[in-house]
C-alpha cells in the first residue's frame, strides 16, 4: 500500500465515521467562509445548525431540491419548530439551495463537475465544522439511459469518465492528479433493495458514464457542433453498453471521488429520460418529467426511513 493510501486508512480508522478534511489550512484557520452557501463559521454556529445531520441528498436543480425537501419532510413526519417554515438556508445567494429537515440536508449542485465540486467542497467543510458523524450522501438526478425503457432508475455501481476509466483526473498546479471514483458497494445494494415490486418503474444497477458535456461529450448528433457520423456515435454508445454502462450523466465521477476522499459513504440514483441507443432529444411532457424526477427520491426516502425505523 502506498504511503498516501496508508495515511488515508489510518485517518479513516481514527475518524470513527467523522468527515475527513484533507486540508490543514482550513483545520488551523480561526474562521471559514462557505461563500456559495452564504455561510460563515464566525456568524453561524455550525455545530448547532448541522451537528445532527446524518443524510445529505443532492440533485441538480434548486427547484427540484425544494420539492425534495417538502417531500422528505412529509415522509419522515417531521414537524418544524412552531412558527417556522421550510426555508432555503442559502437564500442570501442564488448559487445553490440548501434545506435542512431534521437529520436530512438537501442541496442543489447545478450541472456538471465544476459545479458539483464547489458544492461538495463546501458541504464537506460544513459537516466537518459541525462535527457531524456517519453521514451518508446520495445524488438523486436525471440521466440518459442505454438500452433501457425511459423512466428506469439506475443505481450506479461504478462511475467512469468519457474514456471509460473509473477515475477522476483533475488539473492541479499544472499537473494531472488522478483520484479514485469509489462509491460504497453496500449502500448501492441497500438502495437497490429499496425498490419495491409495487413500483411502476424498474430499478437496476449499472456503470455510469460521467461526461464533461451534454452534447458532444455524450455523443449527441444535435448540438451546435458535431464532427462525427451517426455510425461512429452508434458504435461508441454500443461499446459503452458492452462495457456495462447503463446510463450517462455529468456529476457522478466527482461525487464518488470526493465522497471517497472525505470518508463518506455515497450512492447515486438517476432516472433515465430517454434511451440514448434510440434518440438524442428529450421530448417528454412536463407532467411525466416531474413524476420521473421523483423516482430516485422515493428510493432514497425508503432507505432513510428504514435507517430511522420510520414505518
Ligand atoms: C443530468 O442532467 C443534467 C443535464 O441535463 C446534468 O446535470 C446531469 O448530470
Ligand atoms: N442528463 C444527461 O446528462 N444526459 C441525458 O441524456 C439526460 C439527462
Amino acid at each position: 500500500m502506498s504511503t498516501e493510501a496508508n495515511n488515508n486508512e489510518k485517518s479513516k480508522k481514527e475518524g470513527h465515521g467523522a468527515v475527513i478534511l484533507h486540508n490543514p489550512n482550513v483545520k488551523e484557520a480561526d474562521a471559514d467562509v462557505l461563500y456559495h452557501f452564504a455561510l460563515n463559521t464566525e456568524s453561524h454556529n455550525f455545530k448547532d445548525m448541522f451537528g445532527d445531520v446524518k443524510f445529505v441528498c443532492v440533485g441538480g436543480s434548486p427547484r427540484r431540491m425544494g420539492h425534495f425537501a417538502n417531500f422528505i419532510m412529509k415522509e419522515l413526519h417531521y414537524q418544524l419548530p412552531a412558527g417556522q417554515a421550510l426555508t432555503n438556508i442559502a437564500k442570501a445567494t442564488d448559487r445553490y439551495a440548501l434545506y435542512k429537515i431534521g437529520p436530512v440536508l438537501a442541496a442543489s449542485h447545478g450541472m456538471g463537475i465544476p459545479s458539483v465540486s464547489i458544492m461538495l467542497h463546501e458541504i464537506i467543510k460544513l459537516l466537518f465544522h459541525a462535527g457531524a458523524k456517519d453521514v451518508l450522501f446520495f445524488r438523486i438526478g436525471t440521466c440518459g439511459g442505454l438500452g433501457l425503457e425511459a423512466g428506469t432508475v439506475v443505481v450506479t455501481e461504478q462511475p467512469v469518465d468519457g474514456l471509460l476509466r473509473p477515475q477522476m483526473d483533475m488539473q492541479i498546479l499544472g499537473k494531472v492528479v488522478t483520484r479514485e471514483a469509489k462509491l460504497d458497494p453496500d449502500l448501492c445494494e441497500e438502495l437497490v433493495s429499496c425498490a419495491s415490486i409495487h413500483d411502476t418503474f424498474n430499478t437496476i444497477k449499472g456503470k455510469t458514464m460521467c461526461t464533461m458535456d451534454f452534447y458532444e461529450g455524450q455523443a449527441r448528433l444535435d448540438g451546435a457542433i458535431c464532427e462525427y457520423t451517426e455510425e461512429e456515435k452508434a458504435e461508441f454508445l454500443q461499446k459503452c453498453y458492452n462495457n456495462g454502462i447503463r446510463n450517462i450523466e455529468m456529476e457522478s465521477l466527482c461525487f464518488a471521488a470526493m465522497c471517497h476522499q472525505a470518508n463518506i459513504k455515497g450512492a447515486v440514483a438517476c432516472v433515465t429520460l430517454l434511451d440514448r441507443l434510440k434518440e438524442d432529444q428529450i421530448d417528454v411532457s412536463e407532467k411525466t418529467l416531474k413524476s420521473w424526477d421523483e423516482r430516485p427520491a422515493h428510493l432514497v426516502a425508503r432507505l432513510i426511513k428504514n435507517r430511522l425505523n420510520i414505518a
Side-chain angles (χ1 to χ4, degrees), residues 60 64 109-112 139 141-144 214 218 248-252 270 273 282:
R64 180 149 43 86
H109 58 56
M111 284 192 283
R139 162 164 148 71
T142 59
C143 61
F214 182 82
Q218 297 188 6
I248 309 175
E249 48 77 271
M250 299 176 64
E251 293 84 16
S252 59
C270 292
L273 302 183
I282 303 169

Side-chain angles (χ1 to χ4, degrees), residues 49-50 52-58 64-81 84-89 97-107 140 304 308 310:
M49 288 175 80
F50 305 112
D52 62 343
V53 169
K54 294 289 174 205
F55 308 95
V56 175
C57 302
V58 302
R64 180 149 43 86
M65 294 321 286
H67 289 150
F68 175 78
N70 279 292
F71 164 72
I72 203 78
M73 189 160 81
K74 286 196 196 96
E75 289 289 307
L76 304 187
H77 313 296
Y78 183 75
Q79 302 266 359
L80 289 166
Q84 267 188 34
L86 188 61
T87 50
N88 175 5
I89 299 168
L98 183 68
Y99 298 91
K100 185 167 182 302
I101 312 95
V104 180
L105 205 56
I140 46 176
I304 294 177
L308 296 176
I310 296 175

Side-chain angles (χ1 to χ4, degrees), residues 111 139 141-145 209-211 213-215 218 220 247-251 270-276 279-282:
M111 284 192 283
R139 162 164 148 71
T142 59
C143 61
M209 181 163 70
C210 178
T211 65
D213 164 57
F214 182 82
Y215 287 97
Q218 297 188 6
R220 282 187 155 81
N247 66 336
I248 309 175
E249 48 77 271
M250 299 176 64
E251 293 84 16
C270 292
V271 65
T272 64
L273 302 183
L274 74 173
D275 182 357
R276 290 302 321 289
E279 57 196 338
D280 286 346
Q281 300 213 318
I282 303 169

Side-chain angles (χ1 to χ4, degrees), residues 135-180:
V135 185
L136 303 178
F137 271 45
F138 299 95
R139 162 164 148 71
I140 46 176
T142 59
C143 61
L146 287 179
L148 299 171
E149 186 189 343
T152 302
V153 174
V154 180
V155 180
T156 304
E157 277 182 307
Q158 175 64 59
V160 297
D161 69 3
L163 302 176
L164 315 197
R165 303 172 308 172
Q167 66 193 51
M168 186 172 74
D169 280 356
M170 298 186 67
Q171 295 162 12
I172 302 175
L173 302 190
K175 295 190 186 116
V176 175
V177 174
T178 298
R179 300 212 169 124
E180 273 183 290

Side-chain angles (χ1 to χ4, degrees), residues 281-296:
Q281 300 213 318
I282 303 169
D283 191 12
V284 192
S285 75
E286 206 183 321
K287 190 166 160 244
T288 306
L289 263 186
K290 195 171 170 291
S291 79
W292 287 357
D293 262 357
E294 289 167 4
R295 293 177 173 183

